[in-house]
Amino acid sequence: MRCLRFWRAVPVERWQAYGLVLFLACLVALSMPKSGSAENLPPLKIVAFGTSLTARGGWQPALQAQLAACLQRPVEVDSVAKSGETTLWAMTEVDRVVAGLPDIVLIELYANDATLHRFVSLAQSRKNIGQILDTLRQRLPRARIIVMAMNPFSGMRGLIRPFVGSYISAHREEAEKRGLEFIDHRPNWERLTSDDLAAAIPDGAHPQPEIASKIIVPELVERIAGRKCGE
């Protein structure tokens, strides 16, 4: 009863002031980011692990920007990659991948194993990628590991890789045997006309970065996000 008498005694003008203060407080509360919002999450860390198709790829900045926009959270994409190298080199670089503490590892390591002059047999390549995947799974148990097939080869770059399809299949089988993900970008490249494909990959192996971004990145964003952006 005392409380009721108190509130009845409050002048109308003071009620109006209280209402204004409450309204402003609500505006401030609504403008503050929620603690669980995507913007406040730590960056999603991705390491791209591969050959010149990664080292010279140029698609990483587009992946970082488009995935961040899709997920509405920061994304960092780093690379551990070297032109001309094989899975033999990659086995010595796993520590660098692990050191980045990535949430996702993107892997393409078949291209140079498949060249005739590197002398990495199909059996050796299969063994090497299996060991790399096992080590990454052991040391990064929470990371998503995604093995990829990249663009097609042509011209002399294709001639020195007559069995590249077998190497891709071996890497895919080793990934799937371990319950890991595999993305094959080749069908998206093959939708281009022969003239457009030749212009996109003028040396027969290394796509123009802007074209690589258009072909590779949407597929990666959809797979990583689990949906098409905007859905």
Side-chain angles (χ1 to χ4, degrees), residues 69-173:
C70 185
L71 297 178
Q72 290 296 293
R73 66 176 289 188
V75 175
E76 295 177 359
V77 181
D78 296 317
S79 297
V80 175
K82 189 173 181 180
S83 299
E85 291 295 350
T86 67
T87 51
L88 294 168
W89 165 84
M91 292 172 68
T92 71
E93 299 299 313
V94 171
D95 286 348
R96 289 178 58 202
V97 176
V98 173
L101 298 176
D103 301 293
I104 299 172
V105 184
L106 303 175
I107 302 175
E108 55 85 12
L109 289 168
Y110 61 87
N112 295 318
D113 283 18
T115 57
L116 295 175
H117 62 285
R118 295 280 186 343
F119 303 107
V120 180
S121 69
L122 181 59
Q124 185 65 56
S125 184
R126 180 188 292 274
K127 180 180 178 181
N128 293 349
I129 191 64
Q131 184 173 330
I132 290 166
L133 296 177
D134 285 341
T135 304
L136 288 172
R137 281 204 313 168
Q138 180 182 10
R139 297 181 62 186
L140 296 169
R142 297 184 180 180
R144 287 177 67 179
I145 300 173
I146 303 174
V147 178
M148 302 188 295
M150 305 301 277
N151 51 275
F153 295 99
S154 63
M156 183 58 67
R157 309 273 187 165
L159 289 175
I160 63 174
R161 296 175 172 88
F163 308 113
V164 65
S166 297
Y167 283 77
I168 291 173
S169 295
H171 285 215
R172 178 175 193 161
E173 290 164 8

Side-chain angles (χ1 to χ4, degrees), residues 35-66:
S35 59
S37 66
E39 293 85 349
N40 291 323
L41 291 172
L44 181 72
K45 294 184 178 181
I46 300 174
V47 171
F49 188 20
T51 67
S52 58
L53 300 180
T54 294
R56 295 172 52 183
W59 44 267
Q60 294 94 323
L63 174 62
Q64 180 169 297
Q66 292 183 34

Side-chain angles (χ1 to χ4, degrees), residues 202-217:
D203 70 353
H206 304 99
Q208 302 282 16
E210 64 275 13
I211 307 300
S213 297
K214 291 179 181 178
I215 299 293
I216 294 171
V217 169

